[in-house]
Amino acid sequence: MIGTRATIALTKRELIRQTRQPSRIIASIATPLLIWLFIVGGFSKSIGAVAQSDANIGAYTIPGMASLTVMFASIFASISLIQDRHDGVLRAALVSPAPRWSIALSKISAGSILALAQALIIILTLPFLGVSVNPIGILGAIAALACISIALIGLGLALAWIVDSSQGFHGVMNALLMPMWLTSGAIFPVENSAGWLKAIAIINPLTWTHSAMRLSLGMETGLNPTASWIISIAFALAGTVFATFAISQTKRT
């Protein structure tokens, strides 16, 4: 009971703190939208089979832009652990009766709620691009995005527990996540890529979460639907385990 109450209280604190930083929310949405505009407006004719029309490539890349929004929001959510350490908030939480896993779950919960709210804005542009969506499809896409958010926040928290510098944290996360995103079929179809790149994409968990998202939205994908969801859920569970395990370790605060 103590852990549950602590998780709820810390989640509320994280939601209030992050919503009071509108610049981060705007940046998480604006950057993917700008990338999307460049791709659709400048490169749509060079993408091949997907680029039969600007509307097609525009719709195809929307799930990738939604996941990029989640990725940025997840980085901001997990870096708050470093800020809490510097402000002394983390020390107070660690010496309280609340279990350490409540710290991880609260940050994952609050960060995921905000990340999904931002990504939903991107997903809801699909009807304007000629793609018919239904409530079940949107819920499926949100579920896939939730797997991405939970996994990335969990991985970010595990790294933030080790790294004590915000600059170092951003550098490592960008070096890790951007290649994952670029090789996940967010922009180009995995099926039509070179053999070596396709091999990398297959072992990339983001590839499978993008497949699960597109399948929910009625888009074509060459990957197995069952495998897509199993790997997506496993990815989320792995991120949660990494975060809770890292925060359970003793470290100077």
Side-chain angles (χ1 to χ4, degrees):
M1 290 297 294
I2 293 178
T4 302
R5 290 197 299 269
T7 300
I8 294 173
L10 290 172
T11 299
K12 290 180 179 178
R13 176 185 176 275
E14 287 295 317
L15 286 171
I16 293 172
R17 182 172 69 170
Q18 293 188 41
T19 52
R20 287 179 177 175
Q21 298 175 319
S23 59
R24 290 187 173 186
I25 296 176
I26 293 172
S28 297
I29 299 176
T31 303
L33 283 177
L34 287 174
I35 294 174
W36 180 79
L37 287 173
F38 275 110
I39 291 173
V40 174
F43 301 104
S44 62
K45 301 303 180 184
S46 64
I47 296 181
V50 178
Q52 296 175 2
S53 68
D54 287 349
N56 285 341
I57 185 58
Y60 179 86
T61 53
I62 283 296
M65 295 306 111
S67 69
L68 187 60
T69 301
V70 166
M71 189 176 79
F72 287 141
S74 300
I75 291 175
F76 290 139
S78 51
I79 201 175
S80 65
L81 186 68
I82 297 177
Q83 298 170 338
D84 286 347
R85 181 184 298 128
H86 292 167
D87 295 340
V89 176
L90 181 58
R91 181 184 296 274
L94 291 175
V95 299
S96 70
R100 291 193 173 195
W101 55 259
S102 64
I103 299 173
L105 291 186
S106 65
K107 289 189 175 294
I108 290 173
S109 300
S112 296
I113 290 171
L114 293 176
L116 293 177
Q118 295 170 53
L120 182 59
I121 297 174
I122 306 293
I123 292 295
L124 290 179
T125 62
L126 283 173
F128 300 98
L129 298 172
V131 177
S132 299
V133 293
N134 56 63
I136 301 235
I138 292 176
L139 287 176
I142 291 174
L145 288 167
C147 291
I148 297 175
S149 179
I150 292 170
L152 296 188
I153 294 176
L155 294 174
L157 289 174
L159 177 63
W161 190 254
I162 301 170
V163 178
D164 197 41
S165 164
S166 298
Q167 293 82 359
F169 175 85
H170 271 296
V172 174
M173 287 294 283
N174 285 329
L176 174 67
L177 297 184
M178 286 307 297
M180 285 182 65
W181 183 78
L182 290 170
T183 58
S184 67
I187 302 176
F188 305 104
V190 173
E191 307 80 51
N192 299 329
S193 59
W196 64 270
L197 184 57
K198 185 175 181 179
I200 293 175
I202 290 299
I203 62 174
N204 183 354
L206 283 182
T207 301
W208 299 91
T209 54
H210 280 136
S211 173
M213 197 186 331
R214 288 196 171 95
L215 287 167
S216 298
L217 295 170
M219 298 182 180
E220 293 294 328
T221 174
L223 299 178
N224 183 275
T226 303
S228 298
W229 281 109
I230 290 175
I231 295 174
S232 298
I233 294 171
F235 188 36
L237 291 175
T240 304
V241 170
F242 277 132
T244 53
F245 176 78
I247 294 179
S248 68
Q249 304 304 301
T250 301
K251 186 183 188 300
R252 176 179 60 84
T253 57

